[in-house]
Amino acid sequence: MKAKLLAVVSAAAFLSACANMNIPGVRDMADEGSAFDAALHQNYADLAQAEYDEADWADARYFTSRSKMAAAGQDSGPQMIAERTLPEGSMGEIEVARADLLAALDGGGRDKAASPAARAQTSFDCWMQELEENIQQEDIDNCRSAFYQALAIVQAEIDTSPVAKAMPMAMPVPMNVYFGFDKSEIDSKGMSVVDGIAEAYAKYNPAMISLVAYADRAGDAMYNDILAKSRVDAVVSALRAAGVPASKLAISISGEANVPVSTADGVAEQGNRVVTVTFEDGM
């Protein structure tokens, strides 16, 4: 009886969540605001769909609401930090990031760089949502990297002083391409990161791009070195296909040594199945 009751309650909750969200319909709403609002409209719809696909009804509903507001030209800005319960140790960076974002938006970013400004705001909100969830480090890193990449573009567009134009643009934060267990194929999430790396290369023109390949500590160390090499080879191939020249790519194989997430031997840690990509400015 309890099982049946739980099933009924779960089904009711599911139907209620679906009834409150019509993401395709929201996506198709006519835009009544600025180009910035229109970009927010679609970006928030993307976030809503992603959370809906993961059965995160609360966040799907939240991002659907934000998409509706943006379509109506009534955006309220990046989410307030107090509205999320964030992990200890993340507040300092988040507070600075939000302040920098607001400064860029209020400094003309919404008008001068509408698309990257919208991407910066929605990536910030995505970053906070993933931090609160604190389950998928890959998703946290992806939202964080997307935020900093977009913010740097906005900051460059709004700063028109001669000194600023003469100074080299700061390189973006490192980006991570994650892999499945014992896999070297790049999945759809990984390809979105690769696309971001290629876009950043075209924007920043770095002197070099450093790629360090890792593997978790499950299995034989020699095998993990081979696996790490296969992973970085896949990233290099994808970047070259996207227009990044091989001469700009510096490869290092770390395998299970000096992994990003320290673990005991034999532990299959998702955070260590990764190729870390860092832009070097040559200075």
Side-chain angles (χ1 to χ4, degrees), residues 124-271:
F124 176 81
D125 286 357
C126 172
W127 180 16
M128 286 221 301
Q129 181 268 321
E130 293 295 346
L131 273 173
E132 181 181 55
E133 198 173 69
N134 203 22
I135 297 173
Q136 298 162 300
Q137 186 62 45
E138 176 182 359
D139 290 347
I140 295 172
D141 289 348
N142 287 345
C143 294
R144 178 178 179 271
S145 294
F147 164 73
Y148 280 117
Q149 179 186 336
L151 179 63
I153 295 172
V154 177
Q155 290 171 330
E157 291 295 330
I158 64 176
D159 195 343
T160 57
S161 67
V163 173
K165 290 296 183 182
M167 293 177 63
M169 190 183 301
M171 293 294 105
V173 297
M175 303 183 200
N176 295 317
V177 182
Y178 289 93
F179 293 83
F181 178 73
D182 200 28
K183 301 291 185 183
S184 59
E185 298 82 16
I186 305 175
D187 62 16
S188 59
K189 286 185 178 179
M191 281 307 303
S192 69
V193 178
V194 169
D195 291 342
I197 295 167
E199 179 183 341
Y201 167 76
K203 181 72 179 181
Y204 294 92
N205 190 27
M208 189 64 64
I209 300 176
S210 171
L211 299 92
V212 183
Y214 300 94
D216 62 36
R217 303 193 67 194
D220 178 74
M222 183 176 296
Y223 176 82
N224 284 334
D225 285 344
I226 296 171
L227 181 59
K229 183 180 185 303
S230 297
R231 288 169 174 166
V232 78
D233 286 347
V235 176
V236 167
S237 295
L239 287 174
R240 292 188 65 183
V244 180
S247 60
K248 291 282 189 176
L249 303 175
I251 298 169
S252 176
I253 311 298
S254 187
E256 65 174 53
N258 302 313
V259 289
V261 182
S262 180
T263 70
D265 190 32
V267 175
E269 167 58 48
Q270 169 66 65

Side-chain angles (χ1 to χ4, degrees), residues 103-124:
L105 294 176
D106 294 341
R110 294 180 180 88
D111 297 324
K112 295 180 180 179
S115 181
R119 190 162 68 250
Q121 177 171 315
T122 53
S123 295
F124 176 81

